[in-house]
Amino acid sequence: NLNLRVTYYGRISTDHEDQQTSLSNQEDYFQSIIKNNPNWTYVKGYIDKGISGTTSIKRANFLKMISDSKKDLFDLIITKEISRFSRNTLDSLKYTRELLNNGVAVLFTNDNINTIYSDSELRLTIMSSLAQDEIRRLSERVKFGVNMSIQKGIILGNNKLYGYKKNKTKMTINKKQSTIVRKIFTMYTIENKSIPYICNYLNNQGITTNYNKKWCSSTILRM
């Protein structure tokens, strides 16, 4: 029932389309909660896209939110769950304490934790530790899967590797594309052509990528 200025924090860890939908749903959810409370004043939220929650270093909008908390712009932050806020126990405690010192509480809706209450830090520590351990176990499962694939001779990576045809056990050269790969290599290393120049050359020749799209600088750069 308090009159509060309320914002939210959302994060997705990849740029995949399904994750973008998840982010949109998060934003709609938070805005609905805030705007439907007559005692709350909506403050634009903070979103990080395609960023891991294991560290705060690369989460620019998260750090901006922490910085803005010192400017008395909002009183409460709503976030979905601890794993969205941080998957590092020390970070969770560090930043929730800092926010409280700045007069800002955090409400984790899925975990039913509000840092304004005295028992929140104990519950936050337990839940953060579980989230952090889940990351460790996920990493171990991924490594195990990779090692098993290697032992079985399964080639990992992009199924659309330009210049090659791929099946589970081997890669063969795509003869038509191999000529283009060599051309790109020659233009860049021997003829000293720029990446934008190479893109324009390929597009003007009507040569498309594996996805039948025009070439762009980032594609050539990755190659």
Side-chain angles (χ1 to χ4, degrees):
N1 296 322
L2 296 175
N3 293 318
L4 299 174
R5 297 161 299 168
V6 185
T7 187
Y8 64 88
Y9 177 73
R11 178 184 63 80
I12 55 171
S13 54
T14 72
D15 286 322
H16 292 169
E17 186 175 347
D18 57 338
Q19 286 278 288
Q20 295 293 337
T21 302
S22 170
L23 181 59
S24 177
N25 291 338
Q26 286 183 54
E27 291 182 286
D28 292 343
Y29 170 70
F30 292 133
Q31 290 179 21
S32 175
I33 289 178
I34 298 170
K35 292 179 179 179
N36 287 333
N37 189 320
N39 297 314
W40 287 0
T41 301
Y42 173 76
V43 178
K44 185 179 178 182
Y46 298 82
I47 297 291
D48 280 311
K49 300 179 181 180
I51 301 294
S52 168
T54 54
T55 177
S56 63
I57 295 174
K58 295 181 179 180
R59 292 193 285 157
N61 285 317
F62 179 86
L63 295 176
K64 185 177 188 303
M65 179 181 70
I66 300 299
S67 177
D68 285 350
S69 71
K70 302 173 184 177
K71 302 174 183 178
D72 192 32
L73 299 179
F74 43 80
D75 307 300
L76 177 68
I77 300 168
I78 295 181
T79 192
K80 189 176 178 183
E81 55 194 12
I82 293 169
S83 62
R84 294 295 92 194
F85 191 78
S86 175
R87 284 183 171 171
N88 180 303
T89 305
L90 294 178
D91 273 358
S92 294
L93 295 175
K94 171 187 173 183
Y95 287 112
T96 51
R97 285 172 180 171
E98 183 175 343
L99 287 164
L100 280 176
N101 287 336
N102 297 333
V104 177
V106 182
L107 172 62
F108 301 93
T109 58
N110 284 16
D111 303 304
N112 195 26
I113 296 175
N114 189 332
T115 61
I116 201 68
Y117 296 118
S118 57
D119 68 339
S120 65
E121 189 159 298
L122 173 60
R123 297 174 62 199
L124 187 62
T125 301
I126 294 171
M127 297 300 291
S128 296
S129 297
L130 291 173
Q132 186 173 332
D133 190 58
E134 173 59 22
I135 287 293
R136 177 190 61 78
R137 287 186 282 121
L138 177 61
S139 176
E140 289 177 353
R141 289 195 294 268
V142 170
K143 289 178 181 177
F144 176 80
V146 168
N147 288 332
M148 290 300 295
S149 296
I150 291 172
Q151 290 177 26
K152 293 177 181 179
I154 297 174
I155 298 170
L156 303 173
N158 194 334
N159 291 324
K160 289 284 189 178
L161 189 62
Y162 196 85
Y164 292 90
K165 294 179 181 178
K166 174 184 171 183
N167 57 37
K168 282 190 175 182
T169 57
K170 69 176 183 177
M171 298 176 72
T172 57
I173 293 175
N174 181 318
K175 292 184 178 180
K176 181 178 179 180
Q177 291 183 351
S178 68
T179 303
I180 300 167
V181 172
R182 291 189 181 97
K183 179 63 177 178
I184 293 171
F185 184 82
T186 301
M187 291 176 73
Y188 186 74
T189 60
I190 299 175
E191 299 176 6
N192 293 319
K193 301 297 185 183
S194 68
I195 289 177
Y197 180 94
I198 297 172
C199 285
N200 289 333
Y201 170 83
L202 295 172
N203 292 329
N204 290 336
Q205 293 293 316
I207 299 169
T208 59
T209 68
N210 264 332
Y211 299 95
N212 293 319
K213 294 182 178 180
K214 288 187 175 183
W215 293 85
C216 62
S217 295
S218 60
T219 305
I220 300 293
L221 188 61
R222 284 195 297 269
M223 290 178 68

